[in-house]
């Protein structure tokens, strides 16, 4: 889960909270107790969660920006003013400064 706090008209910081480490620990425990036929799927799940957990906060925010833009149907250039507008439509509490900062992170971390 990713939560973004502090995005409003008065605050322009973004706090990323992730619980991938909790999920990875639960999967590792399940893997330790797994029957042989369950192991391949659980091993793959552990690898996926660990690779996701290793992503930098800026990468997580960049993915979040793209998901919010997709949610409002934006398909244009992510570097455009229209992208900032669409992001603020998706998240009305974003200040202009926060939206521009998030847009830059998404631009700096292409998919």
């Amino acid at each position: 889960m990713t939560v973004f706090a502090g995005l409003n008209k008065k605050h322009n910081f973004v706090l990323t909270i992730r619980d991938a480490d909790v999920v990875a620990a639960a999967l590792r425990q399940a893997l330790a107790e797994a029957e042989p036929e369950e192991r391949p799927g659980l091993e793959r799940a552990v690898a996926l969660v660990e690779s996701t957990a290793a992503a930098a906060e800026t990468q997580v925010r960049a993915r979040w920006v793209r998901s919010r833009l997709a949610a409002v149907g934006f398909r244009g250039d992510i570097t455009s003013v229209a992208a900032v507008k669409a992001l603020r439509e998706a998240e009305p509490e974003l200040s202009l400064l926060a939206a521009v900062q998030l847009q830059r992170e998404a631009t700096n971390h292409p998919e």
Side-chain angles (χ1 to χ4, degrees):
M1 170 176 55
T2 302
V3 177
F4 293 89
L7 296 176
N8 61 45
K9 304 286 184 202
K10 295 181 182 180
H11 299 73
N12 291 314
F13 64 91
V14 179
L15 173 65
T16 306
I17 301 171
R18 300 187 291 182
D19 58 0
D21 57 334
V22 175
V23 174
L27 283 171
R28 279 190 226 98
Q29 180 65 36
L31 181 58
E33 300 168 356
E35 297 294 325
E37 63 273 3
E38 296 174 315
R39 293 187 65 74
L42 286 169
E43 288 168 350
R44 176 75 173 128
V46 168
L48 286 171
V49 169
E50 287 176 346
S51 69
T52 300
E57 287 184 19
T58 54
Q59 291 170 310
V60 172
R61 287 192 292 267
R63 281 196 303 257
W64 180 82
V65 167
R66 285 189 191 84
S67 73
R68 299 311 303 140
L69 290 173
V72 293
F74 182 79
R75 306 257 184 261
D77 180 7
I78 199 166
T79 65
S80 68
V81 172
V84 173
K85 183 179 179 203
L87 183 56
R88 292 187 75 201
E89 282 177 22
E91 295 294 327
E93 293 196 7
L94 277 178
S95 69
L96 178 58
L97 179 59
V100 169
Q101 288 171 339
L102 288 166
Q103 176 199 37
R104 285 184 187 146
E105 287 183 355
T107 301
N108 290 337
H109 293 284
E111 292 183 82

